[in-house]
């Protein structure tokens, strides 16, 4: 055999090896990077968020395909009139997949484990409103007094102040139930040996290569999950994954459609049918540091808003987003459809700059993550702002370096792409307290605009005290007013609201692909094989 | 001899210690607070502080340094901030990929470089010597990522013979293009070193004697000259370990191979300091071992050099 | 000869970039991108096509030559200067100072160059000069080693020993008798090292820690376009060729210089 035929023979062998793809209800997904952990108290990344939701459950969840809350491990709940106590009746007969029975004690255990500083959970901040939580975190109390086990099937939470989104917070991964025995057994490595009550249990995880989840036959939600096995393959380049999906070897592209192939997919009638798009509850923005000259001037901030042509920015990301006109995305309750923001108008922008005392513009810095496409978007902004005389130097750094610099308040302008802000739960207050309130305008906080408006903060607090279901509409109206005023104050240049485009093989379907702002990229319990091959 | 080796090993350990120290200081000068990264966007300053305390970040630098060394002495590389697992385990799972890439890559360098070196030395100054020398020059002048991307385009995309990148189930096919990229870029050094040492050897008396005895040119080169001329090549392999480890981040990035380079690159992105430290440590150990091999081989090359 | 031609070509492109380039390298053309953001392949208007922001690739490559050369010259100049001082001092004085310096050089070789460069780029905000400095900090080691070996040899020469006996001050000996013997090697290093520096700059920019956008840099263009390899290969091919031509040019030129001047020195 000469050299050329030897290579050919090898190629054939390899091709046939990879074609061995079973057509059962095993679903293959690809990701470029390995996930970091499956510990619900710790995992807070785009990729592992929904995997954890497939393995664990909390007291609350969302009705599949919607943003409507419903009980999960709880069977029912009551809220006191003052909005301070929540009492949950637990579902009977639920077991963790290692056989341990689930009861109210496990709920308390799971919360205290998550709040324990030794766990280093990024979710602690959501739950410091539970009575006694701060004392427990500070080591001044042995347990959290606000979480009471009333009976094995009943648990009560007491809050220090009413919080209309407390039930949403209970649906976050950080609030999911973990089994004490398995946690004791694995200790800090529990995240690599997860055991939950969920629709799937972990069968195998070879770091950097693959993760296999299998269906939990005893799952308490009838009819879920709808497939037998999920195999996540790691270390697969998005372009490779795309080619393999076309060959039928992959069912879902975890990292999405590669941008280089997007035009091709969307102009191909057949491929287009394999794409499910949905609006994310997300706003990508440029934060303008309101405590720094010249961005302390509202005219300057508004001028910058008018200088940006969003259609040009969108083209750089293949138009995979909608242009944003205000802080809240259209999919978030409280979005103001009558408010049109600042339309593109460079001439008026120049006038405003002149009025603010900068007729010749000024020089400033724009920080951006160095992960593509963010440096490119920054360059588009740079060229557009140059047209009104604003000279921008781009600082393209690793995401962690940008987050730190912005958190220290050292950045005049920050492009949020790849770092912020995607909702934790579908309620407008998640777009206020962590990123626009006075309390978050502190060193290490995520209020990169250093925006602080005490009147709006007070109005937000008033809204969040309206916990009863009957007050819901009035509460949202209050928040809508807060965000409309803030948008007009222009601490940000809202650029776009991302849409997610999930591509799957022709055989896949189900409401799990409808993201509805909760799942990333899909709800694994609600995807199914709709057509045999 | 034994004393010399022992001393060189000790010096190597000293070098590794220095590298660890410098990296330690560098990574802690970086103006980013790891506790903030771990604590996430919703964390209060209290939470960040308590996590910082858990990690020992509130201790002064020398204390942290001594603690780190104490851990190293017990083969404990610490825990990853981002991956929440032992750094030792992470290194162990990424190292085999890098090792396989190293072996196949250096093998490619030799397989490409040695024939070029031999061919061009047989008739120095001939037209093929010049062409081959130019090829060797292009090799050493081309960045690995350009070779890699061109190979991907030609041999994985236009002709779908090899995987486009990634690791799959880890079969050897995934290493062919990465190894070739390493090989093409590095082969030039071997070719040039081998050529000059062969030209030198072929001028020497015993080869002339063999030629006078009527030994045919081809076996002449192989049997007599090559054995001696290969020594510098072997020494170069030792040095090459260091060059390879220096560039491993780029190659693994091009091909999305989950090796030490990717581990370090991802750790750098999120400032996962213990993982960066672990990667640098392992890299430094390889470089030191490679240099040691090269140093130990040199005296065989030239008896005038003494072990001192 | 080929080396000289290539070097002249690259230097010419860099020097005449404003004249040769058909467009402003940073101008984003509206017709340079399709509605879905696809760049344009080479055509009569954009001779080498457009990049992912609709900018003219030919203009960017021409201006990129300036960045590569400036970094190559500055970084390598600094590297040769540091390496020469360390090598001369260590080689001439030997003793504890020499040992210390050369041990330090050894340690530096054990440092993974790119990790060092990335770490430094993260601490010091990446700019043209910082990138050059980082490259210099990585590359001086090789110069120092070679110069050290040469100085050791020079020092053994009888007349240098004689100068010491004559009581000529050390500094004078170094300046008048040792350094002149090194000029040719340093010249060769100054040429050959440009190639190494250009390659390292390309790698840093490829990893996204090189010069900041929108400054056109060959490695940076490839970094931004890598994912379009299968649909827009020209975005990788042309800047890749530019890197190779520059690097081969300076390599060949340096080698020729070495042969012509007949000075030693290895990688």
């Amino acid at each position: 055999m000469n050299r050329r035929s030897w290579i050919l023979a090898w190629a054939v062998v390899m091709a046939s090896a990879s074609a061995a793809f079973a057509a059962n209800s095993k679903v293959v997904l690809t990701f470029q990077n390995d996930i970091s952990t499956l510990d619900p108290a710790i995992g807070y990344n785009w990729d592992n968020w929904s995997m954890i939701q497939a393995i664990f459950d909390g007291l609350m969840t969302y009705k599949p395909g919607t943003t409507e809350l419903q009980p999960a491990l709880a069977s029912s709940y009551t809220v006191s009139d003052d909005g301070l106590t929540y009492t949950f009746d637990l579902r009977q007969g639920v077991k963790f997949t290692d056989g341990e029975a689930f009861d109210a004690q496990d709920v308390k255990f799971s919360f205290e484990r998550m709040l324990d500083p030794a766990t280093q959970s990024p979710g602690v901040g959501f739950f410091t409103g539970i009575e006694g939580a701060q004392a427990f975190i500070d080591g001044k109390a042995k347990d959290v007094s606000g979480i009471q086990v009333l009976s094995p099937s009943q648990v009560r939470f007491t809050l220090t102040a009413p919080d209309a989104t407390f039930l949403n917070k209970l649906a976050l991964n950080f609030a999911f139930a973990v089994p004490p025995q398995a946690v004791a057994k694995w200790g800090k490595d529990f995240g690599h040996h997860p055991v939950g009550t969920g629709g799937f249990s972990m069968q195998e995880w070879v770091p950097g290569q693959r993760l296999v989840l299998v269906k939990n036959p005893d799952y308490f939600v009838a009819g879920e999950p709808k497939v037998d096995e999920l195999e996540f393959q790691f270390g697969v380049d998005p372009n490779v994954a795309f080619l393999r999906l076309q060959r039928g070897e992959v069912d879902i592209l975890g990292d999405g459609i590669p941008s280089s192939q997007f035009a091709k997919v969307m102009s191909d009638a057949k491929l287009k049918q394999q794409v499910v798009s949905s609006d994310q509850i997300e706003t990508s923005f440029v934060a303008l540091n309101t405590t720094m000259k010249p961005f302390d001037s509202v005219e300057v901030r508004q001028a910058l808003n008018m200088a940006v042509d969003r259609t040009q920015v969108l083209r750089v990301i293949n138009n995979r987003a909608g242009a944003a006109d205000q802080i809240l995305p259209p999919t978030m309750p409280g979005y103001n459809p009558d408010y049109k923001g600042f339309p593109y108008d460079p001439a008026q922008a120049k006038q405003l700059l002149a009025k603010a005392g900068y007729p010749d513009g000024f020089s400033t810095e724009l920080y951006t993550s160095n992960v593509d496409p963010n440096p490119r978007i920054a360059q588009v902004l740079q060229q557009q702002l140059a047209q009104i005389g604003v000279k921008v130097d781009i600082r393209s750094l690793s995401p962690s370096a940008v987050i730190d610099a912005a958190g220290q308040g050292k950045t005049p302008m920050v492009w949020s792409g790849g770092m912020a802000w995607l909702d934790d739960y579908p309620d407008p207050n998640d777009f206020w307290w962590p990123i626009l309130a006075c309390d978050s305008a502190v060193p290490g906080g995520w209020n990169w605009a250093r925006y602080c408006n005490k009147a709006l903060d007070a109005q937000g607090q008033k809204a969040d005290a309206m916990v009863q279901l009957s007050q819901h509409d009035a509460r949202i109206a209050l928040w809508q007013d807060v965000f409309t005023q803030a948008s007009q104050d222009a601490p940000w240049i809202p650029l776009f609201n991302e849409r997610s485009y999930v591509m799957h093989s022709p055989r896949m379907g189900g409401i799990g692909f409808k993201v509805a702002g909760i799942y990333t990229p899909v709800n694994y319990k609600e995807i199914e094989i709709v057509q045999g091959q | 001899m034994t004393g010399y080796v022992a001393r060189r090993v000790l010096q190597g350990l000293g070098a590794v210690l220095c590298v660890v120290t410098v990296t330690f200081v560098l990574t802690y000068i970086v103006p980013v607070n790891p506790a903030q990264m771990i604590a996430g966007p919703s964390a209060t300053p209290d939470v960040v502080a308590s996590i910082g305390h858990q990690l020992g970040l509130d201790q002064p630098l020398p204390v942290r340094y001594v603690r780190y060394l104490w851990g190293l002495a017990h083969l404990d590389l610490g825990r990853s901030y981002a991956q929440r697992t032992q750094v030792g385990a992470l290194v162990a799972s990424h190292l085999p990929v890098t090792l396989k890439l190293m072996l196949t890559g250096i093998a490619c360098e030799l397989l490409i470089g040695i024939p070029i070196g031999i061919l061009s030395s047989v008739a120095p100054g001939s037209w093929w010597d010049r062409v081959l020398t130019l090829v060797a020059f292009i090799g050493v002048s081309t960045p690995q990522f350009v070779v890699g991307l061109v190979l991907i385009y030609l041999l994985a995309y236009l002709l779908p013979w090899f995987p486009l990148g990634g690791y799959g189930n880890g079969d050897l096919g995934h290493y062919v293009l990465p190894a070739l990229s390493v090989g093409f870029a590095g082969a030039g050094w071997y070719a040039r070193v081998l050529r000059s040492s062969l030209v030198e050897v072929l001028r020497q008396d015993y080869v002339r004697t063999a030629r006078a005895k009527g030994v045919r040119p081809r076996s002449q080169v192989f049997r007599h000259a090559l054995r001696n001329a290969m020594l510098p090549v072997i020494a170069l392999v030792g040095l090459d370990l260091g060059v390879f480890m220096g560039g491993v981040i780029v190659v693994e990035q091009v091909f999305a191979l989950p090796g030490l380079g990717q581990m370090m690159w991802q750790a750098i992105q999120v400032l996962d300091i213990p993982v960066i430290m672990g990667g640098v440590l392992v890299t430094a150990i390889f470089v030191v071992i490679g240099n040691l091999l090269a140093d130990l081989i040199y005296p065989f090359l030239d008896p005038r050099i003494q072990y001192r | 000869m080929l080396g000289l031609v290539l070097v002249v070509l690259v230097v010419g492109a860099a020097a005449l970039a404003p004249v040769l380039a058909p467009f402003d390298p940073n101008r984003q053309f509206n017709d340079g991108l399709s509605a879905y953001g696809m760049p344009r392949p080479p055509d009569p208007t954009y001779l080498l096509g457009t990049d992912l922001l609709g900018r003219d690739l030919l203009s960017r490559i021409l201006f990129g030559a300036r960045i590569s050369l400036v970094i190559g010259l500055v970084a390598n100049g600094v590297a040769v200067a540091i390496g020469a001082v360390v090598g001369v001092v260590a080689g001439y004085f030997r003793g504890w100072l020499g040992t210390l310096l050369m041990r330090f050089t050894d340690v530096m070789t054990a440092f993974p160059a790119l990790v060092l460069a990335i770490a430094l780029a993260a601490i010091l905000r990446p700019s043209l000069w910082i990138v050059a400095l980082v490259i210099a900090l990585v590359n001086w080691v090789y110069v120092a080693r070679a110069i050290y070996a040469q100085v050791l040899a020079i020092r053994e020469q009888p007349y240098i020993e004689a100068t010491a006996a004559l009581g000529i001050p050390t500094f004078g000996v170094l300046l008048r008798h040792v350094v002149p013997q090194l000029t040719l090697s340093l010249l060769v290093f100054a040429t050959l090292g440009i190639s190494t520096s250009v390659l390292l700059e390309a790698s840093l920019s490829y990893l996204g820690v090189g010069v900041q956008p929108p400054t056109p840099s060959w490695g940076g263009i490839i970094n931004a376009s890598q994912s379009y390899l299968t649909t827009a290969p020209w975005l990788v091919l042309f800047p890749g060729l530019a890197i190779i031509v520059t690097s081969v040019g300076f390599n060949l030129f340096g080698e020729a210089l070495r042969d012509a001047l007949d000075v030693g020195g290895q990688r």
Side-chain angles (χ1 to χ4, degrees):
Chain A
M1 224 190 257
N2 66 27
R3 195 160 158 266
R4 189 181 297 159
S5 59
W6 179 79
I7 291 177
L8 268 178
W10 189 7
V12 170
V13 170
M14 288 193 2
S16 59
S18 59
F21 174 64
N24 64 0
S25 74
K26 166 175 152 181
V27 172
V28 177
L29 300 99
T30 54
F31 284 91
Q32 177 155 23
N33 293 328
D34 197 0
I35 52 169
S36 52
T37 177
L38 289 173
D39 191 328
I42 297 169
Y44 197 19
N45 293 331
W46 191 83
D47 47 13
N48 62 11
W49 188 252
S50 281
M51 295 178 192
I52 290 169
Q53 287 168 327
I55 302 173
F56 297 90
D57 292 292
L59 294 174
M60 301 297 293
T61 188
Y62 293 94
K63 196 173 159 192
T66 72
T67 55
E68 221 175 286
L69 280 165
Q70 68 176 24
L73 283 174
S75 55
S76 64
Y77 61 90
T78 52
V79 188
S80 66
D81 286 342
D82 60 3
L84 289 178
T85 53
Y86 288 70
T87 311
F88 294 88
D89 287 316
L90 303 186
R91 206 180 271 269
Q92 299 292 306
V94 175
K95 282 196 162 93
F96 290 101
T97 49
D98 64 352
E100 209 177 326
F102 163 77
D103 64 22
Q105 202 62 52
D106 297 337
V107 175
K108 188 173 167 71
F109 169 81
S110 302
F111 270 87
E112 286 172 355
R113 167 177 184 268
M114 181 263 299
L115 291 170
D116 184 348
T119 308
Q120 298 170 13
S121 168
V124 170
F126 292 107
F127 301 99
T128 42
I130 298 175
E131 197 182 278
Q134 194 59 52
F136 176 76
I137 295 167
D138 296 340
K140 291 175 192 146
K142 286 235 176 324
D143 73 332
V144 180
S145 57
I147 307 174
Q148 289 165 273
V149 176
L150 304 179
S151 81
S153 64
Q154 216 177 30
V155 64
R156 172 172 292 165
F157 289 81
T158 312
L159 308 185
T160 52
D163 178 1
T165 51
F166 185 63
L167 290 174
N168 291 105
K169 289 172 181 170
L170 291 184
L172 289 174
N173 289 6
F174 308 116
F176 286 0
V178 294
Q181 281 177 25
V183 168
K185 180 175 168 196
W186 295 110
K188 286 189 165 182
D189 284 329
F190 179 72
H192 287 252
H193 304 272
V195 177
T197 56
F200 291 93
S201 61
M202 190 183 87
Q203 188 183 56
E204 185 190 26
W205 182 1
V206 187
Q209 294 180 29
R210 72 180 166 277
L211 166 72
V212 180
L213 303 184
V214 292
K215 179 178 177 169
N216 171 10
D218 304 322
Y219 190 46
F220 61 81
V221 178
E224 279 189 355
K226 299 179 186 310
V227 295
D228 296 331
E229 193 176 326
L230 300 171
E231 180 179 332
F232 300 91
Q233 298 179 355
F234 303 118
V236 186
D237 176 85
N239 280 291
V240 179
F242 175 76
L243 291 177
R244 287 182 54 205
L245 184 129
Q246 287 180 296
R247 279 193 236 152
E249 298 169 16
V250 169
D251 287 306
I252 297 172
L253 301 181
D255 296 314
I257 305 165
S259 59
S260 57
Q261 309 289 349
F262 193 73
K264 184 179 155 194
V265 171
M266 297 317 273
S267 53
D268 181 318
K270 192 163 151 269
L271 290 177
K272 204 178 168 181
Q273 288 185 336
Q274 292 168 235
V275 178
V276 184
S277 74
S278 52
D279 293 312
Q280 297 194 51
I281 308 183
E282 189 271 353
T283 303
S284 296
F285 59 90
V286 177
L288 307 172
N289 193 327
T290 56
T291 60
M292 243 185 220
K293 269 194 179 308
F295 301 113
D296 53 347
S297 149
V298 67
E299 277 112 352
V300 169
R301 302 199 298 265
Q302 291 175 340
L304 260 57
N305 265 278
M306 291 178 193
V308 173
D309 179 6
R310 290 164 177 78
T311 52
Q312 258 198 333
V313 177
L314 290 181
R315 210 161 51 160
V316 171
I317 53 161
N318 318 117
N319 273 307
R320 283 196 246 199
D325 49 16
Q326 54 190 287
I327 292 169
L328 288 185
T331 39
M332 177 66 98
Y335 173 83
N336 187 345
D338 301 323
Y339 178 72
K340 289 291 166 240
F342 303 95
Y344 177 55
D345 188 350
Q348 207 194 331
K350 279 206 84 146
Q351 282 176 14
L352 269 177
L353 271 192
K355 199 175 144 207
Y358 299 93
D360 305 320
F362 53 87
S363 295
T364 185
E365 287 178 344
L366 172 63
Y367 282 70
T368 172
S369 135
N370 61 2
V371 180
D372 189 71
N374 298 307
R376 283 194 282 141
I377 293 172
Q379 289 174 68
V380 175
L381 295 172
Q382 183 182 42
Q383 167 160 312
Q384 295 183 344
L385 294 179
Q387 283 166 356
I388 60 161
V390 175
K391 191 184 161 296
V392 173
D393 275 333
I394 294 175
R395 299 268 171 255
S396 159
L397 306 170
S398 75
S400 52
V402 177
I403 291 169
D404 199 80
Q408 300 304 321
K410 291 186 232 164
T411 52
M413 297 171 79
V414 189
W415 161 236
S416 79
M419 298 173 291
W421 186 254
L422 181 70
D423 73 311
D424 295 293
Y425 46 82
D427 188 278
N429 85 3
D430 189 40
F431 268 68
W432 189 263
W433 303 119
I435 47 179
L436 285 165
C438 296
D439 279 352
S440 54
V442 293
W446 282 61
N447 186 342
W448 296 342
R450 286 295 180 266
Y451 184 65
C452 179
N453 184 329
K454 294 218 163 70
L456 293 183
D457 268 10
Q459 195 174 333
Q461 267 156 9
K462 196 174 134 205
D464 274 2
M466 299 160 82
V467 294
Q468 299 304 329
L469 214 55
S470 57
Q471 297 170 299
H472 178 263
D473 290 349
R475 172 174 179 267
I476 295 298
L478 219 49
W479 272 119
Q480 183 176 69
D481 185 48
V482 168
F483 278 102
T484 307
Q485 287 189 46
S487 294
Q488 191 60 29
D489 228 1
W492 294 1
I493 308 173
L495 279 191
F496 54 74
N497 309 113
E498 274 180 34
R499 318 191 92 225
S500 106
Y501 287 81
V502 182
M503 188 167 184
H504 57 74
S505 59
R507 65 181 190 145
M508 299 299 302
I511 56 171
F513 284 100
K514 288 288 173 200
V515 177
I518 312 286
Y519 298 98
T520 54
V522 298
N523 176 354
Y524 294 116
K525 291 181 286 194
E526 284 287 347
I527 55 172
E528 56 191 310
I529 288 165
V530 291
Q531 119 195 10
Q533 276 187 319
Chain B
M1 172 80 193
T2 338
Y4 172 79
V5 175
R7 210 163 36 178
R8 290 293 288 123
V9 170
L10 269 182
Q11 280 171 1
L13 280 178
V16 171
L17 185 67
C18 284
V19 170
V20 167
T21 309
V22 172
T23 321
F24 192 88
V25 173
L26 271 185
T27 51
Y28 280 98
I29 292 174
V30 175
V32 173
N33 180 2
Q36 185 69 48
M37 296 296 131
I38 292 168
S42 63
T44 57
D46 289 350
V47 173
V48 175
S50 73
I51 288 179
H53 177 71
Q54 283 290 323
L55 297 174
L57 296 177
D58 48 355
Q59 303 285 333
L61 187 67
V63 174
R64 285 187 282 173
Y65 177 65
V66 170
R67 277 193 192 169
Y68 184 77
L69 287 190
W70 182 252
L72 277 191
H74 296 77
L75 296 178
D76 176 8
L77 298 180
R79 277 186 78 85
S80 156
Y81 297 159
Q83 307 277 96
R84 312 290 176 122
T85 184
Q86 290 291 332
V87 174
L90 276 178
V91 169
S93 74
H94 287 91
L95 187 59
V97 176
T98 300
L99 281 182
K100 278 188 221 167
L101 179 60
M102 180 191 282
L103 290 179
T104 50
I106 292 180
C108 276
E109 290 182 332
L110 294 171
L111 286 176
I112 302 170
I114 289 176
I116 293 182
I118 292 173
L119 282 178
S120 56
S121 67
V122 173
S126 65
W127 66 268
W128 76 72
D129 175 29
R130 286 192 205 163
V131 170
L132 289 173
T133 306
L134 183 63
V135 169
F137 261 111
I138 295 177
V140 300
S141 309
T142 308
Q144 286 173 345
F145 64 91
V146 173
V147 185
L149 291 171
V150 169
L151 286 176
I152 290 178
Y153 187 68
L154 295 178
L155 299 182
Y157 179 69
L158 287 186
L159 306 167
W161 291 353
F162 297 101
L164 276 161
Y167 189 62
N169 48 9
D171 60 38
L172 209 57
H174 289 88
Y175 289 97
V176 175
L177 296 188
L180 278 176
S181 330
V182 174
F184 185 73
W189 296 113
Y190 288 95
R192 289 167 62 189
V193 168
L194 184 59
R195 177 182 176 276
S196 57
S197 75
L198 262 179
V199 170
E200 183 92 346
V201 172
L202 285 172
R203 283 201 202 115
Q204 279 170 11
D205 287 347
Y206 68 99
V207 182
R208 287 203 198 137
T209 315
R211 209 177 281 161
K213 272 164 50 188
V215 180
R216 289 201 327 275
R218 181 182 270 220
S219 51
Q220 206 186 84
V221 173
F222 271 94
R223 208 167 296 158
H224 296 274
L226 200 52
R227 193 180 305 158
N228 289 319
M230 278 304 279
L231 277 169
V233 172
I234 296 168
L236 192 54
V237 171
L239 294 179
D240 207 22
L241 287 183
V243 177
F244 170 84
M245 291 308 286
V248 75
I249 286 189
V250 174
V251 185
E252 292 184 359
Q253 182 76 359
V254 172
F255 291 95
L257 279 178
L260 282 181
Q262 282 273 307
M263 182 190 84
M264 281 194 275
W265 175 243
Q266 286 177 17
I268 288 169
Q269 294 302 306
V270 294
L271 234 87
D272 194 346
I273 291 168
V275 177
I276 303 176
M277 295 288 303
V280 169
L281 176 71
V282 176
T283 310
I285 290 174
F286 272 101
V287 177
V288 165
I289 291 176
N291 286 351
L292 192 61
L293 284 181
D295 279 358
L296 292 182
I297 290 164
Y298 271 134
F300 287 105
L301 296 179
D302 188 344
R304 283 167 295 181
I305 298 176
Q306 301 275 312
Y307 288 117
R308 269 184 296 169
Chain C
M1 208 64 256
L2 177 63
L4 187 63
V5 172
L6 294 180
V7 167
V8 168
L9 194 76
V10 175
V11 173
L16 300 177
V19 183
L20 293 175
F23 302 106
D24 173 355
N26 291 332
R27 175 140 177 232
Q28 299 159 16
F29 290 94
N30 244 326
D31 63 348
L33 284 182
S34 78
Y36 276 123
M38 278 300 291
R40 275 169 72 146
D43 64 23
T45 320
Y46 305 106
L47 290 175
L48 298 184
T50 60
D51 76 354
L52 297 181
L53 284 174
R55 297 174 295 203
D56 180 51
L57 184 60
L58 174 60
S59 307
R60 288 188 73 70
I61 289 181
L62 286 172
F63 276 91
R66 299 185 147 199
I67 303 302
S68 277
L69 286 188
V70 165
I71 288 192
L73 290 170
V74 172
N76 193 52
V78 176
V80 170
I82 302 177
V85 170
V86 171
V88 169
V89 169
Y92 192 80
F93 295 101
R94 291 182 293 193
W96 65 268
L97 183 62
T99 315
L100 189 75
L101 283 175
M102 289 326 285
R103 282 286 152 259
F104 179 63
T105 314
D106 286 348
V107 169
M108 288 300 290
T109 57
F111 228 112
L114 277 174
V115 177
L116 175 68
I118 294 167
L120 284 176
I123 299 168
L124 316 160
R125 289 199 274 182
S127 73
L128 194 70
W129 307 113
I130 294 298
V131 172
L133 185 70
V134 165
I135 293 172
L137 285 180
V138 171
N139 277 350
W140 65 269
V141 179
Y142 305 103
V143 183
R145 282 192 163 173
I147 295 293
Y148 172 71
Q150 239 177 316
V151 172
L152 281 187
I154 293 172
R155 208 175 184 279
E156 300 300 317
Q157 289 168 354
Y159 81 96
I160 298 280
E161 288 181 1
T163 55
L166 285 174
I168 299 175
T170 320
F171 189 71
V173 178
L174 273 181
L175 215 58
R176 228 169 287 151
H177 300 282
V178 178
V179 174
Q181 294 194 54
L182 298 170
T183 335
L184 293 181
S185 325
L186 289 176
L187 191 62
V188 170
F189 276 120
T191 322
L192 278 178
I194 290 177
S195 169
T196 323
S197 305
V198 167
L199 288 182
L200 195 51
E201 186 273 328
S203 295
L204 286 176
S205 295
Y206 170 74
L207 290 173
V209 292
V211 292
Q212 295 283 288
T215 313
S217 147
W218 296 335
I221 298 174
I222 298 180
N223 166 49
S225 329
Q226 188 187 354
S227 59
Y228 280 65
L229 179 64
T230 55
T231 42
W234 62 89
L235 286 176
V236 171
L237 188 67
F238 294 128
L241 271 178
I243 298 170
I244 297 174
V245 164
T246 310
S247 171
V248 168
F250 279 101
N251 251 333
L252 283 176
F253 184 63
E255 288 286 319
L257 201 62
R258 171 192 295 176
D259 290 350
L261 303 172
D262 196 27
V263 286
Q266 316 144 341
R267 180 196 189 188

